[in-house]
Amino acid sequence: MKRLIYSTYINISDSTIDKDHSDDEWSNFKTKETTNLMLKYQDWLISVQKKYAESIGVEYRFVGYGTHYAHFKDWFEDKPWISEYDIINFYKHWLMVEYSKSYDQILYLDFDVVPLTKCNVFDEWDFDSGILCRVNHEKDPKNYLEGLEPAFFAEMRKKYDEKGRTNSIRSPRAKWWNARALLLDEGFSGDNDVYNTGIVGASSEQIKKLDYFGEFDLDLSTMKELVTEVNGGWPPYIQSLFGYDNETLYSYKMQQKEVQLNKLERKQHFILNERFPYVAKGSEFVHVVNKRFDYIKEWYEKNSI
């Protein structure tokens, strides 16, 4: 049984960030902040992921910028509306497809994921019957439907009129509505999970079944139609949430290809953010969304992981 843990990080220049996020001040700021902190802690993040892989006898690969990424990026030459940030996040799934040709079970970790467990997740998690991923930032995904309430509609319409958008296209709410639109377009109910692809585990067979890139050009074309369609039936304050997010497409493909979701629990993929700025007891992998690498590094060393 050949197993692999991998991660990737590709630096985005300030000029590219300014170009890609000229209409979204928040995304511009967050992307630059993330880039600076990732570079500062890059060596440490690689070392802790590699240390975990070695501790369970599994190969680890870190992928940075290179000819492989450059060739993948060529796919988007005729799609200038897709940001480098989105291309990089599609690339991590492309790597999983490529690795599935040589490995039986694969675990992907975002570069800002820190392993805390000493257990071998390949022995404890179910890689074979479905795809492992954490979903739903809301306890009840139907909470996203509050956008249909008149009061909420009025609030969102006001925000849209003032700023030209409501939430960031990276927000869980945006991803839920975007996946809903894709699913409804193909005759599904529209109900969906908001995926967090910061940690993804799967067997080569499940990756093949998902076929994430099988109709990639068509999928991107459909997403572009949803973004740009005039009088397409979606209120502007909802349509402004649509984009080209890898997790939106992941949610859609999981239903389209009827792939079973094996949900990662909170402790398995713990999200360190403004709401939970601490490491919860029993956390196995910590996704440092708030980029407090100073905190997680101190915690890691103090607890002798």
Side-chain angles (χ1 to χ4, degrees):
M1 177 78 67
K2 292 189 68 178
R3 292 165 166 172
L4 175 72
I5 297 174
Y6 78 97
S7 187
T8 182
Y9 177 67
I10 294 167
N11 180 52
I12 306 176
S13 68
D14 282 356
S15 60
T16 298
I17 295 170
D18 289 337
K19 176 176 69 70
D20 288 344
H21 301 291
S22 60
D23 62 341
D24 189 339
E25 185 177 341
W26 184 87
S27 292
N28 186 304
F29 169 76
K30 292 301 291 183
T31 304
K32 288 180 179 178
E33 179 184 52
T34 295
T35 297
N36 292 333
L37 287 169
M38 290 287 210
L39 290 173
K40 180 178 179 180
Y41 287 91
Q42 177 171 312
D43 291 343
W44 183 77
L45 290 167
I46 292 173
S47 71
V48 296
Q49 291 187 355
K50 185 177 182 181
K51 178 182 175 182
Y52 171 69
E54 290 176 344
S55 74
I56 61 171
V58 172
E59 183 179 351
Y60 174 79
R61 292 192 180 190
F62 170 76
V63 181
Y65 185 91
T67 55
H68 190 267
Y69 173 72
H71 289 154
F72 177 76
K73 190 178 175 182
D74 287 343
W75 199 338
F76 301 86
E77 277 191 351
D78 61 345
K79 304 173 183 65
W81 53 86
I82 299 180
S83 71
E84 179 111 11
Y85 174 87
D86 286 326
I87 293 172
I88 290 168
N89 277 284
F90 285 130
Y91 180 58
K92 70 185 186 185
H93 300 299
W94 180 254
L95 286 170
M96 181 167 273
V97 172
E98 290 294 292
Y99 286 141
S100 70
K101 299 172 184 177
S102 304
Y103 295 88
D104 302 301
Q105 294 178 333
I106 301 168
L107 179 67
Y108 167 75
L109 303 177
D110 263 1
F111 194 45
D112 55 357
V113 171
V114 177
L116 301 185
T117 184
K118 297 181 184 298
C119 297
N120 186 338
V121 296
F122 288 96
D123 293 335
E124 297 197 355
W125 297 0
D126 181 1
F127 281 74
D128 295 321
S129 68
I131 289 181
L132 291 150
C133 197
R134 175 173 172 163
V135 297
N136 287 343
H137 293 243
E138 292 270 8
K139 290 182 179 179
D140 182 356
K142 290 185 174 59
N143 289 344
Y144 294 119
L145 284 169
E146 69 182 4
L148 300 179
E149 298 295 326
F152 190 81
F153 177 87
E155 180 185 341
M156 291 296 99
R157 183 172 60 186
K158 180 181 179 183
K159 185 184 292 187
Y160 176 80
D161 289 342
E162 292 174 350
K163 300 183 178 181
R165 65 171 61 247
T166 49
N167 296 84
S168 165
I169 58 173
R170 294 191 199 173
S171 70
R173 185 180 301 281
K175 295 170 187 178
W176 189 89
W177 278 103
N178 202 355
R180 182 175 179 81
L182 285 170
L183 290 163
L184 288 172
D185 191 65
E186 196 163 319
F188 290 89
S189 70
D191 292 341
N192 69 89
D193 293 302
V194 179
Y195 280 69
N196 186 319
T197 58
I199 301 175
V200 179
S203 68
S204 57
E205 287 302 312
Q206 293 299 325
I207 295 165
K208 182 178 179 180
K209 183 178 179 181
L210 181 66
D211 195 20
Y212 189 86
F213 293 95
E215 300 172 299
F216 193 53
D217 286 324
L218 176 61
D219 292 333
L220 292 180
S221 178
T222 302
M223 296 175 90
K224 187 173 190 292
E225 288 177 12
L226 289 170
V227 170
T228 60
E229 192 174 20
V230 178
N231 299 321
W234 290 99
Y237 85 94
I238 294 292
Q239 188 179 17
S240 70
L241 301 174
F242 298 163
Y244 309 95
D245 189 86
N246 78 97
E247 293 172 338
T248 293
L249 188 58
Y250 215 94
S251 182
Y252 167 70
K253 300 304 284 190
M254 288 287 286
Q255 287 199 45
Q256 184 194 49
K257 300 298 183 179
E258 298 182 337
V259 179
Q260 177 175 299
L261 166 66
N262 291 341
K263 290 185 180 181
L264 291 180
E265 300 299 328
R266 180 173 179 265
K267 72 171 186 175
Q268 295 170 312
H269 180 169
F270 182 76
I271 296 175
L272 193 72
N273 57 18
E274 288 75 14
R275 187 178 178 188
F276 297 104
Y278 57 86
V279 175
K281 184 178 180 180
S283 297
E284 297 180 16
F285 291 83
V286 173
H287 192 176
V288 191
V289 173
N290 63 2
K291 304 303 179 280
R292 284 294 311 277
F293 298 124
D294 56 338
Y295 165 78
I296 192 64
K297 183 179 181 183
E298 181 180 352
W299 190 98
Y300 186 95
E301 294 172 349
K302 181 179 179 180
N303 289 273
S304 301
I305 302 301

